[in-house]
Amino acid sequence: MFLVLAVLPGKPAQVILGTQATPASVRALTRKLGLDKPLWRQYADWIGGLLSGHLGNSYISGLPIRSEMGNALEVTLPLIGLGLLVGIIIAVPLGVIAAVRDRHASGMVASVANQIGIAIPNFVLGILLIIVIGVKLHLLPTGGFAGWSTSPLGAIKALILPGISLGIVEGAIVGRYIRTSVREVLSSDYLRTARAKGLTRWQALVRHGFRNAAVPVLTVLGLELAGLIVGAVVIENVFTLPGMGTLLLQAVNNRDLIMVEDIVVMIAAVVLVVNFLVDIAYHVLDPRIGLES
Amino acid sequence: MSALPPAAELVSAELGQAAETAGSAIAGRSSGGRSWWERWLHNPAAMAGGIIVAIVVLIAIVSLVWTPYGPLSINTREAFAGPSLAHFFGTDYYGRDVLSRLMAGTQITLYAGIVSVLIAAVIGIPAGLYAAQRGGAPSQVVLRFADLVYAFPALLVAVVLAADFGGSTVTAMIAIGIAFIPVFTRVTRSGALQVLSADFVLAARACGQSRIQVLRRHVIPNIMSLIIVQMTLLFSVAVLADAALSYLGLGTAPPAPSWGRMLERSQQYLTTDPLMSLWPAIMIAITVLGFNLLGDGLRDVFDPRSRERG
């Protein structure tokens, strides 16, 4: 990963100083950034830094990457949280109705809504929301972020539309899995037994069904959390929010390689940890599933 | 074969026939009494998806030889024109005809989708077959590797590639292709394991077919429907991912008319000309929907039992 970035063409010092720079100044900057050291040494320094929490300084701005990331997370974390919330609020009723009222009109409507939700990418939805709610109705801000300290209310308002765009699409995907899962539970023997004891369809489902249906859904939710993190990168660009995604793309455009490396590694690590936690939760919820399967 | 005594040859012929029947049952061809073609005609979702996909492909083919205007030809005097008879979908900020650009964009979308799915299939399917055939430690190595790739989102691969080479259609396709490899590996492996445990595979081995022959004659034909369904579904994801990457400036570079890029550029003019953003948005959504419906529909068509399973 690091190697891929470091070996390939495009010397950062040259890019930073522009095409007008003299060879001498490029050399000086290369030395200042530590890029004249052997590659293994650069790599070792970088890994050592990651492990001890020193992420290094941006090649471009010279600011410590850690504080830049910290500022960005103040935007990205609430955004992902909001997306998750919206996603769950949408996914659960949509999936359950599509499964339970399978052969009724309402179930069909839920299924169709689901398909459409999956087909619309989050950034497209974001732009549609900007057109309708921001430009036509003037209800909510359509971009920018003033920061939590200036106006907490303004900050929340700025995150509502991005959160909805992020959540609806993820919710539609999770809703589809919930539908499958609830359907499977509905055709199970223990649910028929519950019905035979005199419970209504809904009572049986609430008391016995949902807990069983939740197990596979949990796995998907873990995967979707990874999807939300990636989706946030895109959505931040739609709504020009100064979060991790914007930081990442800026770094790519400026060839601020150390910043790109740090952010990519951070995101990949978070995704891996989330998947790992989901695996553990899976076995806790349903001990029948062996670790070998 | 000639080394076998006559009686054994007779048995093996019978077993071979049994193998074929069992094989077509797994592929779902003979169950349900209808051919898969009839089931396709009776499945509204599959039909709708098929029609949408056919139209999109047709547009791409037509755009190869004809578009109303040149997709790149600039005419600043007609910039920001609304929909009219001369320009059905209006013109953009450079006065380029939006309809022509959308049509030409179909080519880019399909091209990116096809190549990224093929990259994934060419690496993922053999890996899955290998894991199923060998089992044990080699299979675990392949699967853990697939897990590792799976945890690494396509966007991050695209970011790294773009940081090195600058964003282009090729870097986007490679990034998406890599991200899809584990999906093919898993689907192929689980499908192949199912086929390999069937009696007709045992029969084929008893008849002296090598492992490779078994894979080629029995396993691959039987998991073909699974793979086609997966390819169709992944194609819709590829279209989506490609649009997102070019929207972010990590994919197809301007002036090529990719839908994602058109959306990104026209977003600046949202307040004055919202229609300009709407068209590429609709094209992306319809294309994704089409391939999604077709994939879901094909799954039901090839394997009617999957309907009950959801």
Side-chain angles (χ1 to χ4, degrees), chain B:
Chain B
M1 278 304 256
S2 58
L4 290 169
E9 211 160 302
L10 198 72
V11 171
S12 76
E14 263 182 23
L15 281 175
Q17 202 138 51
E20 262 162 42
T21 338
S24 56
I26 288 186
R29 254 178 246 131
S30 61
S31 52
R34 286 177 179 168
S35 73
W36 67 267
W37 173 251
E38 282 173 294
R39 281 201 300 272
W40 190 71
L41 290 177
H42 284 89
N43 186 323
M47 276 288 277
I51 291 170
I52 295 175
V53 169
I55 292 174
V56 170
V57 172
L58 199 68
I59 293 175
I61 293 172
V62 169
S63 76
L64 281 175
V65 288
W66 178 82
T67 51
Y69 298 83
L72 302 182
S73 56
I74 292 171
N75 183 356
T76 39
R77 262 176 304 164
E78 287 187 40
F80 298 107
S84 66
L85 276 181
H87 301 278
F88 273 122
F89 291 160
T91 59
D92 68 2
Y93 38 88
Y94 290 145
R96 295 176 295 197
D97 182 53
V98 171
L99 175 61
S100 306
R101 288 178 68 72
L102 286 178
M103 287 174 70
T106 318
Q107 286 171 36
I108 299 177
T109 303
L110 293 185
Y111 168 64
I114 289 169
V115 174
S116 47
V117 170
L118 280 185
I119 290 175
V122 164
I123 301 172
I125 294 174
L129 287 175
Y130 176 77
Q133 177 68 266
R134 287 296 299 271
S139 152
Q140 285 302 313
V141 171
V142 171
L143 287 180
R144 291 294 83 78
F145 198 73
D147 280 349
L148 196 70
V149 177
Y150 196 71
F152 211 79
L155 181 77
L156 295 189
V157 182
V159 161
V160 173
L161 289 177
D164 273 329
F165 305 108
S168 69
T169 317
V170 176
T171 58
M173 288 187 308
I174 293 175
I176 299 169
I178 290 176
F180 285 172
I181 292 173
V183 182
F184 276 113
T185 305
R186 292 193 156 274
V187 167
T188 310
R189 176 179 165 270
S190 66
L193 278 180
Q194 220 173 341
V195 179
L196 284 172
S197 67
D199 286 340
F200 64 83
V201 167
L202 199 64
R205 292 283 291 151
C207 291
Q209 288 188 12
S210 72
R211 287 175 191 278
I212 302 288
Q213 277 175 322
V214 168
L215 283 184
R216 199 168 45 109
R217 291 203 196 149
H218 299 288
V219 177
I220 292 177
N222 276 316
I223 61 172
M224 212 54 216
S225 59
L226 265 182
I227 289 175
I228 291 174
V229 168
Q230 210 55 49
M231 280 182 155
T232 319
L233 290 174
L234 281 181
F235 201 101
S236 77
V237 186
V239 169
L240 217 152
D242 180 64
L245 289 180
S246 65
Y247 175 83
L248 291 176
L250 300 172
T252 309
S258 79
W259 295 340
R261 200 71 194 171
M262 286 172 73
L263 199 55
E264 195 266 335
R265 291 303 307 274
S266 57
Q267 201 190 339
Q268 298 168 22
Y269 310 103
L270 265 187
T271 40
T272 48
D273 196 349
L275 274 183
M276 199 161 59
S277 306
L278 207 57
W279 304 125
I282 290 174
M283 287 302 285
I284 295 170
I286 286 182
T287 310
V288 175
L289 182 70
F291 279 99
N292 236 332
L293 286 175
L294 183 65
D296 273 355
L298 284 179
R299 176 160 47 198
D300 294 347
V301 165
F302 284 140
D303 181 9
R305 287 160 299 170
S306 74
R307 238 192 120 61
E308 282 97 71
R309 279 191 258 119

Side-chain angles (χ1 to χ4, degrees), chain A residues 4-180:
Chain A
V4 173
L5 281 170
V7 168
L8 291 153
K11 293 190 169 50
Q14 182 80 59
V15 177
I16 296 163
L17 295 173
T19 45
Q20 307 284 320
T22 60
S25 59
V26 170
R27 259 199 310 279
L29 187 65
T30 303
R31 192 165 317 125
K32 197 180 141 216
L33 294 174
L35 294 172
D36 55 341
K37 290 184 204 161
L39 216 53
W40 66 266
R41 183 67 197 277
Q42 285 184 42
Y43 184 66
D45 286 352
W46 179 60
I47 292 284
L50 281 187
L51 292 178
S52 58
H54 296 294
L55 300 179
N57 294 345
S58 160
Y59 285 168
I60 308 297
S61 64
L63 295 171
I65 290 176
R66 206 167 127 178
S67 70
E68 290 215 33
M69 271 196 192
N71 292 338
L73 281 177
E74 281 183 17
V75 178
T76 303
L77 285 183
L79 176 60
I80 291 173
L82 196 61
L84 194 62
L85 189 70
V86 172
I88 292 172
I89 289 175
I90 287 169
V92 173
L94 204 63
V96 172
I97 289 172
V100 175
R101 319 249 325 151
D102 193 15
R103 312 220 179 275
H104 298 75
S106 57
M108 291 286 275
V109 169
S111 286
V112 171
N114 217 321
Q115 275 285 358
I116 294 174
I118 292 174
I120 299 182
N122 51 20
F123 61 99
V124 170
L125 186 67
I127 290 172
L128 294 180
L129 285 177
I130 292 179
I131 294 178
V132 176
I133 295 181
V135 177
K136 297 278 177 215
L137 302 175
H138 298 291
L139 286 178
L140 287 165
T142 58
F145 188 82
W148 290 101
S149 48
T150 22
S151 152
L153 189 68
I156 291 173
K157 267 186 169 175
L159 288 178
I160 291 179
L161 281 188
I164 290 176
S165 330
L166 197 56
I168 285 185
V169 177
E170 300 302 318
I173 297 172
V174 177
R176 189 116 179 108
Y177 285 97
I178 293 182
R179 167 171 162 262
T180 310

